[in-house]
Amino acid sequence: MPPIEDFDPKPRRASVAVDVGGVIVGGGAPVVVQSMTNTDTADIDGTVAQVAALFKAGSEMVRITVDRNESAAAVPRIRDRLVRLGLDVPLIGDFHYIGHQLLADYPDCAEALAKYRINPGNVGFKDKKDKQFADIVEMAIRYDKPVRIGVNWGSLDQELLTRLMDENQANGFPLSARQVTREAIVQSALLSAELAEEIGLARNRIILSAKVSQVQDLIAVYQMIASRSDHCLHLGLTEAGMGSKGIVASSASMGYLLQHGIGDTIRISLTPEPNGDRTREVQVAQELLQVMGFRQFVPVVAACPGCGRTTSTTFQELAQRIQGDLRKNMPAWRDKYPGVEGLNVAVMGCIVNGPGESKHADIGISLPGTGETPAAPVFIDGRKAMTLRGADIAAEFESLVADYIDKRYGRKTAAE
Ligand code: SF4
């Protein structure tokens, strides 16, 4: 037999843990899911509603734009409203250009935020750049807040890029322009972190990110940063795009990095459909971590794709209903049914793989395919438990899933 290689995920890269408003990021802690609002932060009602929706969907931290006086003034009021709603969600302030001024002019905003995100490419220009960067770092030290130094190649430090391009030219172009750009992104993040530490920000108050929009570039720059530092890392593919393209590109790049132990927190930057549901990015981030086996958030429904043996849309509808119900109920179930996120349900279309897959699940159903007797065997804990027939198969199976969850995960009272 040829030697068996180890195909399991690589051990998590050792990174410095950072406490973001009570949520530990890095240092081996579970990979944290985060998201960002797209409301005007000055719109307090709208922002509170969206932060609440993102948090309830499972976003463990939420970033909001702080772009002008009105937004900075709104931040403490948003924080207070969320606290009154019982939602203890760390808020991250996203600053560009005038963050140093806003944090100085609105101390309640500086206090209310759990983390500041700054972009070294647009924190200031020429001689003002280092001064304004230092002002924000000093503010973070004063308020004891962590900082994410978030490089984005859409706003890359042009002075640094030009210098590296010139050096490459002087050396006879050993690197391609793309390689030099990657190096500039990496250096921008690492040099900024070095500067922040020189100013006095502790390493356990710094998170780094280096977002690009191409999958191969993202994989390259994060591997470069991971090999040169132990800073806590936030992963995200910027401008990932809409729908399946954004999901596939984000999952391909971040999946590769996570498999290689790189990444302490993730955000999926999906462009929502017009008036679409912003919480979709949270769902995708959770599903990425769950399908890779890193975390469990919501019970998993295994369903076959269907084929010519599928007689109707019943099984697709049932799979959709079950998955939708499980996700919808999770916020209430987290307390009521501890461990339920590890549940596996199977909804299969015919006898070919139906019984086998259903036996592997905690509870599964194999619906009748073309030419089969109109009966649906149900398997519980690997054994055939019953057969459902008639028009109410879907409702009956839903009720069996609910009973199973209650029996297996319900808290036992002293009398039981
Ligand atoms: S389980 Fe049956 S219906 Fe589903 S894909 Fe396989 S053969 Fe087709």
Side-chain angles (χ1 to χ4, degrees):
M1 197 160 102
I4 297 173
E5 293 183 47
D6 179 7
F7 294 111
D8 285 335
K10 298 280 177 280
R12 286 278 296 286
R13 159 186 169 269
S15 62
V16 176
V18 179
D19 183 337
V20 181
V23 175
I24 304 299
V25 186
V31 179
V32 171
V33 171
Q34 59 177 292
S35 60
M36 184 172 183
T37 56
N38 61 355
T39 53
D40 177 359
T41 304
D43 168 10
I44 295 174
D45 289 347
T47 303
V48 167
Q50 196 174 79
V51 171
L54 291 164
F55 183 60
K56 285 178 185 167
S59 182
E60 292 155 306
M61 305 188 285
V62 178
R63 182 157 48 113
I64 58 178
T65 301
V66 188
D67 58 341
R68 62 192 200 278
N69 293 344
E70 292 80 359
S71 314
V75 169
R77 297 175 62 193
I78 291 167
R79 173 80 202 140
D80 289 348
R81 289 262 297 272
L82 291 163
V83 169
R84 281 204 298 278
L85 290 169
L87 305 175
D88 187 16
V89 46
L91 293 177
I92 302 158
D94 197 61
F95 294 99
H96 299 276
Y97 308 109
I98 57 166
H100 60 294
Q101 271 171 22
L102 294 173
L103 287 168
D105 293 347
Y106 294 89
D108 288 350
C109 167
E111 183 56 58
L113 293 168
K115 184 174 74 170
Y116 310 152
R117 184 266 164 143
I118 54 176
N119 178 341
N122 61 26
V123 75
F125 299 100
K126 302 213 178 283
D127 48 335
K128 286 188 181 159
K129 187 175 73 176
D130 287 353
K131 162 86 174 71
Q132 292 174 185
F133 180 85
D135 287 348
I136 295 182
V137 170
E138 279 163 8
M139 210 66 73
I141 295 168
R142 182 182 315 161
Y143 289 96
D144 191 21
K145 306 290 181 181
V147 171
R148 170 158 71 93
I149 297 171
V151 178
N152 189 304
W153 80 347
S155 47
L156 181 57
D157 180 338
Q158 292 304 304
E159 289 170 49
L160 175 63
L161 179 62
T162 305
R163 179 165 60 76
L164 293 182
M165 288 286 184
D166 289 348
E167 282 174 16
N168 192 48
Q169 183 179 19
N171 290 330
F173 294 106
L175 301 176
S176 66
R178 189 173 183 178
Q179 287 171 313
V180 177
T181 305
R182 288 175 178 173
E183 179 63 26
I185 292 165
V186 171
Q187 285 202 20
S188 178
L190 295 179
L191 292 171
S192 301
E194 214 176 286
L195 181 57
E197 286 189 72
E198 277 168 20
I199 295 165
L201 191 65
R203 185 164 280 223
N204 69 358
R205 303 310 265 159
I206 297 173
I207 296 177
L208 296 185
S209 67
K211 296 192 182 181
V212 297
S213 58
Q214 298 294 320
V215 169
Q216 296 298 346
D217 290 320
L218 194 87
I219 291 171
V221 295
Y222 272 94
Q223 288 187 118
M224 290 160 76
I225 293 179
S227 69
R228 297 186 201 175
S229 90
D230 63 356
H231 283 295
C232 183
L233 294 182
H234 164 125
L235 300 188
L237 184 77
T238 193
E239 286 98 45
M242 295 183 88
S244 59
K245 186 268 171 184
I247 294 170
V248 170
S250 296
S251 303
S253 51
M254 287 191 249
Y256 180 92
L257 290 166
L258 291 165
Q259 182 73 3
H260 288 78
I262 298 171
D264 301 301
T265 174
I266 64 169
R267 182 201 170 200
I268 305 283
S269 301
L270 279 188
T271 307
E273 308 288 334
N275 301 314
D277 184 353
R278 189 69 169 178
T279 63
R280 182 97 172 102
E281 67 172 65
V282 178
Q283 184 184 336
V284 174
Q286 288 188 329
E287 284 174 355
L288 173 60
L289 293 174
Q290 183 148 349
V291 297
M292 293 193 73
F294 296 128
R295 292 190 65 182
Q296 290 184 323
F297 298 97
V298 177
V300 169
V301 176
C304 73
C307 68
R309 296 179 61 91
T310 319
T311 47
S312 71
T313 57
T314 307
F315 95 96
Q316 289 116 305
E317 286 157 9
L318 182 57
Q320 191 180 39
R321 268 169 68 171
I322 297 278
Q323 184 72 77
D325 284 351
L326 294 171
R327 184 164 277 283
K328 190 176 82 208
N329 287 322
M330 264 318 283
W333 283 357
R334 272 193 198 99
D335 284 338
K336 191 173 176 193
Y337 298 125
V340 71
E341 60 276 9
L343 177 77
N344 289 301
V345 182
V347 178
M348 300 293 290
C350 86
I351 200 169
V352 173
N353 291 320
E357 187 69 42
S358 299
K359 278 184 202 164
H360 288 305
D362 296 309
I363 177 164
I365 186 167
S366 176
L367 292 158
T370 310
E372 292 178 44
T373 315
V378 173
F379 297 82
I380 296 179
D381 293 331
R383 292 215 171 89
K384 185 173 166 187
M386 66 201 67
T387 301
L388 302 180
R389 292 187 173 80
D392 292 331
I393 286 180
E396 286 175 39
F397 183 64
E398 279 182 314
S399 142
L400 286 171
V401 172
D403 285 351
Y404 181 88
I405 289 170
D406 195 54
K407 282 201 190 90
R408 178 163 169 188
Y409 299 101
R411 292 180 195 278
K412 304 283 180 282
T413 62
E416 287 177 284

